[in-house]
Amino acid sequence: MSHYKVLKTEEEYNTALDRTIHIFHSAPGTPDFDELELLLLLVKDYKERHVLIPH
């Protein structure tokens, strides 16, 4: 697993999203699944802070 940090740029977000898609079907209890859980949190956090959803 790579060393991750809070996503601050669109490039970091896109890289994390690509990796998330790549390991999306990982089996629970595996290192890839642990990485997936972390990436999902980081992607969600970035979207909540940077993506505006019109009302």
Side-chain angles (χ1 to χ4, degrees):
M1 176 167 53
S2 296
H3 296 280
Y4 291 107
K5 59 185 175 87
V6 173
L7 305 176
K8 295 182 181 175
T9 68
E10 189 170 349
E11 181 180 354
E12 291 173 342
Y13 169 77
N14 288 329
T15 299
L17 195 56
D18 288 344
R19 178 66 180 153
T20 299
I21 291 166
H22 181 73
I23 62 173
F24 190 76
H25 295 289
S26 299
T30 64
D32 280 350
F33 188 82
D34 293 343
E35 181 180 3
L36 176 62
E37 287 183 311
L38 178 58
L39 284 169
L40 289 172
L41 290 172
L42 293 172
V43 166
K44 180 180 184 245
D45 175 68
Y46 181 89
K47 285 177 64 175
E48 287 175 350
R49 290 183 293 114
H50 296 283
V51 178
L52 298 175
I53 300 174
H55 294 252

